[in-house]
């Protein structure tokens, strides 16, 4: 079934009524001027003229309305992001207060990794027209949230044959392979499409010679990428996940990679044949290399940094960050000084978050749109996490990332809570546990329908979505084949 939210006939009739009303006063005033006291013949001519003018006006009106009806709601309009702190929810959405579900028990970096989310509840999707507003709800005086300087789901830059460069490598493909034809229900079932499933957001710190606490060995990092690829994942930018703008081919699953602390092992720029490129042994070098060899996988990653030292350098910090942005990666907020916010006052929280956001804005003309909590610790008050003001400038975060827990809920799910976006620690134990879980239980895994303007829901897995998060997107539901539901059970499987 389809729920299409484009301009309705009701809206068209409203437009027409508005147009008609607007005409009334002028017609009336023309009559009441009292300038003409014409003879009968002149009165006939005048009447004919009035009819002709009225006819022309009606034709113009009809043309105008017809042109208007041809417009559809642009997909981009749904980047109108919801500020859960300041707005009311609609439809079946939970009240804003309910959604700030208590994530405080996840404050240790390790997190209660073994905890399973409760099963989907059986609230059904809204009936009727299902229309919802996707209002761009902003703080007073705040500019529209804008995506990072790079393009949404960045395409590889145009190759320049005369100047081969790390950033313009022609084989560097992205995951932008959606906008396929709509699939049949049978195809959706075969691909186990489920856009209410979880999305792994992997947290890395150091990439080093060998494994250690918060260190992933290079070899294992390469193996991780291969494993993600083999399991059908594509890398997407974190901001695409947070805004629900996921563009990957049908049957593929999104995965987000993040790096904390701006450590030196994440990015090292070297010069090769007069060109500045990423050292093939740093995380970015490994990622770009893998992406070139595995078309369609993508190379998005988000780097949560502090100030002023980033990637082992202060003097070249701007150059390093620009390199990331030029290669379709994102910069995230990890606070100004990596302070443990547990003991910070609300004003200090605003200073730490706003301070870093302002620095990055000044240095790169780039807005950080997400925050990773240092040590995974919340401040006592969450008041200034999602938005606030420091030094007379506003900042905004679309998501607050925890320090490791479980796959993040679908961005269209009622479970999505911008104040508590869980991540999976990039180590053997956690990756094994969660990747296997998502492989075994397709109802828990986000699998794309290949169309970024549609949220496709498998009826067998439940039908609970957040109407506000879905916004202007179309919603399609289908029933999976019985054999696929065989292992799905009640959705409460642990491990
Ligand atoms: Zn950190």
């Amino acid at each position: 079934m389809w729920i299409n939210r484009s301009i309705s006939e009701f809206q068209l009739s409203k437009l027409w009524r508005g147009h008609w009303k607007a005409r009334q006063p002028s017609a009336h005033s023309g009559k009441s001027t009292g300038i003409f006291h014409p003879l009968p013949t002149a009165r006939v001519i005048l009447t004919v003229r009035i009819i002709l003018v009225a006819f022309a006006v009606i034709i113009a009106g009809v043309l105008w309305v017809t042109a208007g009806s041809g417009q559809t709601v642009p997909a981009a309009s749904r980047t109108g992001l919801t500020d859960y702190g300041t707005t009311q929810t609609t439809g079946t959405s939970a009240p804003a207060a309910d959604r700030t579900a208590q994530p405080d028990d996840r404050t240790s970096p390790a997190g209660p990794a073994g905890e399973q989310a409760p099963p989907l509840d059986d609230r059904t999707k809204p009936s009727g027209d299902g229309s919802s507003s996707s209002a761009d709800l902003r703080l007073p005086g705040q500019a529209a949230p804008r995506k990072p300087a790079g393009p949404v789901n960045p395409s590889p830059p145009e190759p320049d044959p005369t100047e081969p460069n790390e950033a313009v490598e022609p084989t560097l493909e992205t995951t932008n392979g959606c906008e396929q034809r709509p699939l049949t229900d049978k195809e959706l079932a075969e691909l186990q499409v489920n856009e209410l499933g979880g999305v792994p957001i992997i947290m890395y710190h150091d990439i080093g010679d060998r494994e250690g606490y918060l260190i992933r060995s290079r070899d294992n990092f390469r193996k991780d990428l291969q494993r993600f690829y083999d399991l059908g994942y594509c890398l997407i930018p974190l901001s695409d996940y947070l805004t629900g703008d996921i563009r990957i081919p049908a049957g593929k699953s999104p995965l987000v990679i993040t790096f904390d602390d701006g450590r030196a092992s994440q990015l090292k720029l070297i010069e090769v044949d007069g060109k500045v490129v990423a050292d093939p042994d740093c995380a970015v070098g490994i990622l770009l290399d893998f992406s070139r060899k595995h078309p369609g996988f993508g190379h998005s990653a988000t780097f949560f940094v502090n100030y002023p030292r980033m990637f082992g350098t202060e003097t070249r910090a701007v150059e390093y960050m620009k390199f990331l942005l030029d290669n379709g990666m994102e910069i995230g907020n990890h606070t100004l000084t990596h302070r443990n916010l547990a003991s910070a006052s609300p004003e200090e929280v605003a200073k730490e978050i706003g301070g870093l956001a302002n620095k990055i804005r000044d240095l790169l003309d780039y807005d950080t749109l997400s925050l990773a909590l240092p040590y995974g610790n919340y401040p006592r008050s969450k008041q200034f996490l999602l938005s606030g003001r420091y030094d007379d400038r506003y900042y905004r975060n679309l998501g607050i990332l925890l320090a490791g827990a479980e796959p993040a809920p679908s961005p269209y799910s009622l479970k999505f809570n911008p104040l508590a976006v869980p991540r999976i620690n990039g180590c053997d134990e956690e990756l094994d546990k969660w990747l296997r879980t998502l492989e075994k239980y397709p109802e828990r895994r986000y699998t794309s329908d290949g169309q970024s303007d549609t949220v496709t829901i498998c009826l067998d897995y439940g039908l609970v979505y957040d109407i506000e998060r879905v916004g202007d997107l179309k919603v399609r539901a289908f029933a999976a084949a019985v054999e696929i539901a065989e292992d799905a059970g009640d959705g409460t499987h642990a491990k």
Side-chain angles (χ1 to χ4, degrees):
M1 74 192 79
W2 292 82
I3 301 168
N4 194 341
R5 301 191 182 106
S6 54
I7 290 183
S8 66
E9 284 188 19
F10 170 74
Q11 286 171 294
L12 279 180
S13 68
K14 251 189 353 191
L15 279 175
W16 175 247
R17 279 204 300 276
H19 179 72
W20 173 245
K21 269 185 190 167
R23 291 179 55 224
Q24 298 310 299
S26 62
H28 177 75
S29 61
K31 252 177 147 183
S32 61
T33 51
I35 293 172
F36 297 110
H37 300 283
L39 295 170
T41 313
R43 201 173 290 165
V44 168
I45 293 169
L46 180 64
T47 305
V48 168
R49 279 181 180 168
I50 287 172
I51 289 169
L52 285 175
V53 168
F55 188 69
V57 168
I58 287 169
I59 293 291
V62 167
L63 285 176
W64 178 69
V65 170
T66 309
S69 70
Q71 294 167 357
T72 51
V73 182
S77 71
R78 68 197 176 78
T79 52
L81 301 158
T82 307
D83 184 340
Y84 288 97
T86 57
T87 63
Q88 296 180 337
T89 54
T90 56
T92 59
S93 302
D98 290 349
R99 278 199 259 172
T100 55
Q102 304 309 312
D104 300 64
D105 56 351
R106 292 203 191 118
T107 50
S108 78
E115 300 309 315
Q116 296 293 321
L120 297 173
D121 67 50
D122 56 3
R123 266 183 287 181
T124 53
K125 71 182 176 62
S127 56
D129 64 16
S131 63
S132 74
S133 68
S134 63
D136 184 0
L137 303 157
R138 298 172 206 158
L139 295 172
Q142 186 177 20
R146 71 186 164 86
K147 288 280 224 171
V152 176
N153 227 333
S155 300
E158 282 296 308
D160 178 352
T162 60
E163 275 199 3
N165 180 297
E166 191 80 12
V168 295
E169 186 67 43
T171 54
L172 200 60
E173 295 199 6
T174 70
T175 56
N176 200 345
C178 62
E179 315 313 343
Q180 303 170 337
R181 66 171 171 81
L183 302 181
T184 64
D185 282 9
K186 187 165 178 284
E187 288 169 324
L188 291 172
E190 281 167 1
L191 291 172
Q192 299 185 318
V193 168
N194 169 28
E195 297 194 319
L196 288 184
V199 177
I201 302 178
I202 316 296
M203 174 187 73
Y204 291 108
H205 284 75
D206 261 318
I207 300 296
D209 294 332
R210 62 184 90 81
E211 287 286 300
Y213 176 67
L214 300 183
I215 305 173
R216 192 69 169 154
S217 75
R218 291 187 191 89
D219 282 349
N220 281 338
F221 182 53
R222 289 191 183 95
K223 282 179 192 162
D224 290 347
L225 298 176
Q226 186 68 51
R227 189 176 184 184
F228 302 150
Y229 180 79
D230 292 342
L231 288 172
Y233 289 100
C234 292
L235 299 185
I236 64 163
L238 176 61
S239 59
D240 285 5
Y241 163 77
L242 294 171
T243 56
D245 186 17
I246 296 177
R247 296 161 183 265
I248 55 176
K252 295 288 183 186
S253 295
L255 184 141
V256 177
I257 285 183
T258 66
F259 292 92
D260 283 14
D261 300 348
R263 299 191 182 190
S265 63
Q266 295 166 6
L267 177 59
K268 183 182 177 192
L269 295 181
I270 57 171
E271 221 175 284
V272 176
D273 299 332
K275 283 292 182 195
V276 174
V277 299
D279 183 328
D281 273 344
C282 72
V284 173
I286 293 171
L287 186 54
L288 292 176
D289 182 55
F290 187 88
S291 173
R292 275 186 213 103
K293 294 172 181 165
H294 298 81
F297 181 61
H299 56 278
S300 301
T302 297
F303 294 81
F304 290 101
V305 299
N306 313 107
Y307 182 84
R309 193 167 179 80
M310 300 171 196
F311 311 109
T313 176
E314 274 185 44
T315 51
R316 297 180 71 188
V318 172
E319 180 190 359
Y320 273 47
M321 286 192 290
K322 277 185 177 162
F323 182 89
L324 294 175
L325 299 182
D326 287 346
N327 280 279
M329 300 181 186
E330 299 184 342
I331 309 284
N333 195 327
H334 201 35
T335 73
L336 195 61
T337 65
H338 204 274
R339 173 171 176 178
N340 186 340
L341 297 179
S343 60
S345 68
E347 291 69 30
E348 289 167 331
V349 169
K351 181 183 176 187
E352 280 290 336
I353 301 173
L356 194 277
N358 290 348
K359 288 287 181 195
I360 301 294
R361 209 177 277 152
D362 291 341
L363 293 173
L364 298 168
D365 189 26
Y366 175 91
D367 286 339
T368 53
L369 291 174
S370 53
L371 170 79
L373 293 166
Y375 312 103
N377 286 346
Y378 281 105
R380 287 189 301 271
S381 164
K382 299 190 180 88
Q383 186 182 2
F384 294 131
L385 288 178
L386 286 177
S387 59
R389 199 173 72 156
Y390 175 67
D391 208 10
D392 282 335
R393 294 155 84 181
Y394 289 96
Y395 62 84
R396 176 166 215 192
N397 291 307
L398 304 178
I400 308 302
L401 276 73
L402 305 177
E406 59 191 351
S410 160
Y412 316 116
S413 162
L414 273 176
K415 289 186 203 162
F416 178 89
N417 177 0
L419 275 168
V421 179
R423 289 188 287 177
I424 295 170
N425 193 5
C427 63
D428 282 335
E429 190 189 357
E430 295 297 302
L431 287 173
D432 280 350
K433 178 166 78 181
W434 292 112
L435 292 176
R436 282 179 188 158
T437 299
L438 295 177
E439 199 183 352
K440 189 170 180 187
Y441 304 111
E443 74 271 28
R444 291 178 160 228
R445 169 172 168 170
Y446 186 111
T447 301
S448 173
D449 61 3
Q451 294 193 297
S452 65
D453 66 346
T454 304
V455 178
T456 297
I457 295 169
C458 177
L459 288 165
D460 302 50
Y461 302 157
L463 205 54
V464 188
Y465 66 86
D466 185 332
I467 193 169
E468 209 171 80
R469 298 276 315 168
V470 167
D472 289 335
L473 299 180
K474 288 177 271 191
V475 175
R476 179 181 181 185
F478 74 99
V482 177
E483 59 267 21
I484 285 173
E486 172 188 274
D487 201 23
D490 57 9
T492 58
H493 302 281
K495 294 208 158 174

